Amino acid sequence: MSTAQELDRRGRRRQQTIDEILDVAVELMEAEGVAALSLSAVARKVGMQPPSLYQYFPSKMAIYDALFQRGAEQVLEAQRKARAEATTTDQRELGLVGITAFSRWCIQNQVLSQLLFWRTVPGFEPSPEAFAPAVDGLQDLRSYLEQSVAAGLLHPDAASDDGLALYTAMTAGVLSQQMANEPDATYENGRFTRLMPVILDMFYERYKPTRGKK
């Protein structure tokens, strides 16, 4: 076996171990709580000594950072895939497609959702690299709102920083209520997630094209 092949094999093996560590971390966070993650518990469940774990993650915050990036990449991919496969060109319908994909992912990945959208770990701040997919997601949202403005469906203020803040606060608020009160419900059956179409209607009403005109 050549040196390059050996290095490639080692790289794959290392990545497999990293993925296993992260999967185990999520399992433990589901059982014990996001902020209660223990490196020793992760090492035991993976089948290695804690010092060996440090070869992959030097600290608990490093594991949180890797999980933040994993979650941010997944939720971004879920929304982009849903919009790409949508059979409509109607802007409001595309908005609901995006919200639905986002909400379903959050409900199916509640541990990562807590890490991404609610500050459940004191002192944790994602690195710029881990946060980059989240920035891309916000830019996708701004682009969607700008397209709705260009189509004459929204006032230009909808694509402003305040517009994005209101949009994300409304959707995240509904999801927070859903996961706090009915964590086992599906998106379609959730008492709060069923309101997502209403949330979108409220946003469009708030930023209707005639806003501010008398």
Side-chain angles (χ1 to χ4, degrees):
M1 180 179 296
S2 68
T3 302
Q5 288 175 321
E6 178 63 24
L7 289 174
D8 185 56
R9 187 176 69 173
R10 289 179 182 176
R12 289 197 303 269
R13 187 183 304 134
R14 179 177 176 80
Q15 187 59 52
Q16 288 171 354
T17 302
I18 288 172
D19 290 340
E20 182 182 4
I21 290 170
L22 295 179
D23 290 343
V24 165
V26 170
E27 290 177 16
L28 292 172
M29 290 157 66
E30 287 175 343
E32 306 294 337
V34 175
L37 184 65
S38 163
L39 288 182
S40 296
V42 172
R44 285 195 302 271
K45 195 168 180 63
V46 172
M48 63 174 62
Q49 295 298 317
S52 298
L53 186 64
Y54 297 140
Q55 297 177 23
Y56 301 93
F57 294 100
S59 67
K60 183 165 65 173
M61 292 301 177
I63 291 182
Y64 284 133
D65 196 63
L67 287 173
F68 188 102
Q69 183 170 351
R70 173 191 274 191
E73 289 173 347
Q74 287 180 0
V75 72
L76 178 64
E77 180 183 0
Q79 292 178 89
R80 286 180 171 178
K81 184 175 185 291
R83 286 192 292 265
E85 295 176 351
T87 57
T88 180
T89 57
D90 182 273
Q91 282 299 113
R92 289 183 70 148
E93 290 180 4
L94 286 173
L96 187 57
V97 166
I99 287 178
T100 300
F102 173 78
S103 301
R104 282 184 174 145
W105 183 89
C106 288
I107 290 171
Q108 293 166 5
N109 300 273
Q110 296 190 28
V111 164
L112 293 181
S113 296
Q114 291 178 49
L115 190 61
L116 284 168
F117 307 116
W118 294 272
R119 289 181 174 268
T120 49
V121 181
F124 170 67
E125 290 286 345
S127 65
E129 181 181 6
F131 195 68
V135 174
D136 290 342
L138 282 175
Q139 185 54 50
D140 282 1
L141 174 58
R142 191 186 295 274
S143 295
Y144 159 71
L145 294 174
E146 288 172 346
Q147 290 166 14
S148 292
V149 171
L153 301 174
L154 288 173
H155 188 277
D157 287 352
S160 67
D161 288 345
D162 283 348
L164 263 71
L166 179 60
Y167 194 101
T168 55
M170 292 169 70
T171 52
V174 168
L175 281 169
S176 179
Q177 285 287 82
Q178 184 61 56
M179 289 189 277
N181 292 279
E182 295 179 342
D184 297 324
T186 64
Y187 171 80
E188 288 78 11
N189 296 327
R191 179 157 55 102
F192 299 94
T193 47
R194 287 201 307 268
L195 299 175
M196 282 300 187
V198 179
I199 293 296
L200 189 63
D201 289 343
M202 291 170 65
F203 184 86
Y204 267 80
E205 176 63 24
R206 168 70 175 174
Y207 289 106
K208 56 188 176 183
T210 56
R211 184 185 187 209
K213 296 180 180 180
K214 296 182 180 180

